[in-house]
Amino acid sequence: WRYKSQISDLSNCDELKLGTYFCNKGNWDIVPQSIQAEFQYQVDDRHYAFFIIEGLGESDGVTREFMAEIAITNAAQGANTTEENVKQHFSKDISVDNKKFRTVAYTVKLGGISFTFLNNIYVSDTITTQAIVYGVGPSVTEKLARLNETLLENFVVPD
């Protein structure tokens, strides 16, 4: 998978953290922060996006593969279950503006409701980002996949 961002002017974008930006062209509503996610958006009543940005990267030994494992572990912990019980749809490498991401898709039940996440992980020398879109339901729907494309096309990470 290869995506190309058309963003050259960041003046109308939300500056997230550590040189990352999200250009909210879909006018997704901004929602209050949670403990882990600093930047959250509501697309509609069934779909949301959030970002986790950390100041550690490859120079600290972090890899996309390691972070994908951590994402599954965290999903399991959040659902009060084991990693084996997290339904994993796929894990694949993609390119956005010639930057390598790992996209991991998984479903967990939280409070009895199924949520499916598409977690796009980018690791540079000094930062790690997770750009995540999720929706209510047990599978990766066409709409969730389209929202993920929109998320990636409007997410800017530093070189």
Side-chain angles (χ1 to χ4, degrees):
W1 291 74
R2 188 173 299 265
Y3 297 94
K4 177 69 177 153
S5 175
Q6 302 299 317
I7 300 165
S8 57
D9 178 13
L10 299 174
S11 63
N12 292 322
C13 300
D14 297 332
E15 183 175 6
L16 303 179
K17 184 177 172 183
L18 300 174
T20 60
Y21 293 83
F22 178 62
C23 302
N24 190 7
K25 294 187 178 186
N27 291 318
W28 298 349
D29 293 331
I30 297 172
V31 296
Q33 296 179 4
S34 71
I35 293 170
Q36 244 192 340
E38 296 178 86
F39 310 97
Q40 298 183 80
Y41 297 84
Q42 180 177 357
V43 179
D44 57 36
D45 288 341
R46 299 180 63 85
H47 298 92
Y48 299 83
F50 68 94
F51 300 89
I52 299 171
I53 302 159
E54 300 170 295
L56 60 146
E58 292 173 345
S59 63
D60 301 299
V62 177
T63 65
R64 291 185 308 276
E65 296 77 14
F66 171 74
M67 290 306 298
E69 292 173 17
I70 294 297
I72 298 301
T73 299
N74 287 342
Q77 289 174 350
N80 206 16
T81 189
T82 64
E83 288 92 345
E84 293 77 27
N85 290 329
V86 174
K87 182 178 180 183
Q88 296 183 49
H89 302 283
F90 60 80
S91 179
K92 62 186 174 186
D93 291 323
I94 62 169
S95 177
V96 180
D97 286 337
N98 295 317
K99 294 179 178 83
K100 293 182 181 179
F101 284 72
R102 166 71 53 96
T103 299
V104 183
Y106 50 90
T107 299
V108 293
K109 281 195 173 188
L110 302 169
I113 301 171
S114 291
F115 290 93
T116 298
F117 296 79
L118 277 84
N119 187 337
N120 304 282
I121 300 162
Y122 172 75
V123 180
S124 76
D125 190 48
T126 58
I127 67 167
T128 297
T129 67
Q130 296 178 71
I132 302 160
V133 64
Y134 69 99
V136 176
S139 63
V140 178
T141 63
E142 285 184 35
K143 181 171 184 174
L144 189 59
R146 280 193 314 272
L147 290 172
N148 195 55
E149 288 177 17
T150 299
L151 182 78
L152 289 170
E153 289 168 355
N154 291 286
F155 184 50
V156 179
V157 296
D159 290 329

